[in-house]
Amino acid sequence: MAEFNLKEVASNNAFGGKLVKYKFKSIALGGLDTQFNIYLPPQAQQGKVPLLVYLAGLTCTEDNGAQKGGFLGPAAERGIAILFPDTSPRGAGIEGEDDNWDFGTGAGFYLDATNPKYSKHYNMYTHVTTELPQVIEAASIPIDAKKQSIFGHSMGGHGALTLYLSSKNAQYRSVSAFAPICNPSKCPWGEKAFAGYLQGGVSEGKERYDATELVTRTTGPINVLVDYGTSDSFYKQGQLLPENFVDAARKAGHDESRLIVRGQEGYDHSYYFISTFASDHIQFHAQFLKE
């Protein structure tokens, strides 16, 4: 196993457990320093606990979900750890990566870049699914690697759905998302990301990183919860497209009792919305993580 030279940056007590921030040099991100937070509930003092991975949205860091999501209390009650990765590599020095808020730094889209300009550093898919579990295991952090689920917000909701559907029945037991980008090959955010990061552009992104496409090729039962706000400006602009995801899943014959998509009246895209339904999402995942 690779040597990651993990360093503890900070630690805060919360709900009887601890939120710990770590830093290490990431191989997946081209040798750059990266940070993540992990919340260990009080039950982790007695042994290994299940893991829920939270993927944050555009412009965010590893701190947003930990500080504002409202997840830690419910996670402590259910004995579930939460991993909060960053949203992109930082400091790659690639020309143009800091020009726009919705591409480059803070906007890694949880894919592995194939455009040579970005492929050395922009590999968030591998970072989240492979590297961070290896880091956690190497550091003997008390996580039960056989019990993992994933959730996220906006771009991170896209990432959560994509990673879950790509690794169906392998890595993650369930997925949930707040205001996810459900059909990125058909919205401006996703088209921009795919055109920039992927050598094959939008067609490659549609094939590999679009939840609405992936769900049509997913067999067997799925465990999905999605919440979005009906007053979300990005929903109204056509960036999220949850209806497309539901239609695709329905046409693929998925059991709709295991595919819960809820439009929350009057809610927006913010962490006020996320924190309102945070407990629902923790409880949803607990069904599968505690089996």
Side-chain angles (χ1 to χ4, degrees):
M1 184 172 292
E3 173 60 52
F4 295 102
N5 195 25
L6 192 66
K7 297 179 181 178
E8 184 176 317
V9 176
S11 178
N12 297 93
N13 288 355
F15 299 96
K18 284 187 180 294
L19 180 71
V20 187
K21 181 188 289 289
Y22 290 104
K23 177 180 180 179
F24 73 101
K25 284 195 180 297
S26 166
I27 297 169
L29 305 184
L32 297 175
D33 285 337
T34 191
Q35 298 187 148
F36 66 90
N37 289 307
I38 188 164
Y39 177 68
L40 297 172
Q43 294 86 343
Q45 297 172 28
Q46 279 75 52
K48 292 183 177 182
V49 294
L51 180 68
L52 183 55
V53 181
Y54 176 79
L55 304 182
L58 290 164
T59 75
C60 292
T61 71
E62 72 279 1
D63 291 330
N64 295 77
Q67 294 176 352
K68 300 189 292 184
F71 305 126
L72 305 190
E77 292 176 5
R78 298 308 300 265
I80 297 170
I82 307 182
L83 172 64
F84 300 91
D86 203 349
T87 51
S88 77
R90 296 188 186 266
I94 300 170
E95 182 182 0
E97 72 174 343
D98 295 321
D99 289 354
N100 298 285
W101 67 274
D102 56 355
F103 183 85
T105 303
F109 265 81
Y110 303 102
L111 50 73
D112 284 348
T114 53
N115 179 344
K117 181 176 179 179
Y118 296 99
S119 60
K120 179 180 179 181
H121 299 292
Y122 280 77
N123 298 300
M124 291 300 295
Y125 186 103
T126 295
H127 177 64
V128 172
T129 60
T130 303
E131 186 173 51
L132 286 175
Q134 290 175 348
V135 169
I136 289 169
E137 182 182 359
S140 298
I141 297 171
I143 295 301
D144 185 348
K146 295 179 180 179
K147 296 180 179 179
Q148 295 186 54
S149 289
I150 192 165
F151 67 152
H153 170 230
S154 193
M155 176 187 74
H158 142 76
L161 289 169
T162 300
L163 271 56
Y164 172 76
L165 293 169
S166 297
S167 64
K168 185 68 192 71
N169 292 324
Q171 191 159 353
Y172 306 111
R173 296 186 173 195
S174 54
V175 63
S176 72
F178 303 90
I181 305 169
C182 291
N183 197 181
S185 63
K186 291 188 177 180
C187 77
W189 279 342
E191 290 170 348
K192 183 175 184 177
F194 292 163
Y197 293 130
L198 302 176
Q199 199 161 28
V202 174
S203 61
E204 182 181 347
K206 179 179 179 180
E207 175 70 18
R208 297 184 61 193
Y209 302 111
D210 189 319
T212 296
E213 297 295 326
L214 290 171
V215 77
T216 66
R217 306 197 298 267
T218 301
T219 58
I222 57 177
N223 303 310
V224 181
L225 170 63
V226 171
D227 280 313
Y228 66 92
T230 61
S231 294
D232 185 330
S233 60
F234 298 120
Y235 168 65
K236 293 179 178 180
Q237 292 167 18
Q239 295 280 18
L240 308 183
L241 304 174
E243 293 88 354
N244 291 9
F245 179 70
V246 172
D247 288 346
R250 184 176 291 134
K251 289 175 182 176
H254 288 292
D255 182 350
E256 292 189 44
S257 70
R258 304 176 76 106
L259 176 73
I260 305 164
V261 179
R262 309 186 299 192
Q264 301 293 357
E265 188 67 31
Y267 282 90
D268 59 18
H269 201 73
S270 71
Y271 272 90
Y272 298 114
F273 155 63
I274 294 171
S275 60
T276 299
F277 300 99
S279 182
D280 285 4
H281 284 242
I282 299 296
Q283 302 301 336
F284 170 77
H285 290 292
Q287 301 172 68
F288 309 104
L289 290 172
K290 306 298 282 190
E291 283 181 345

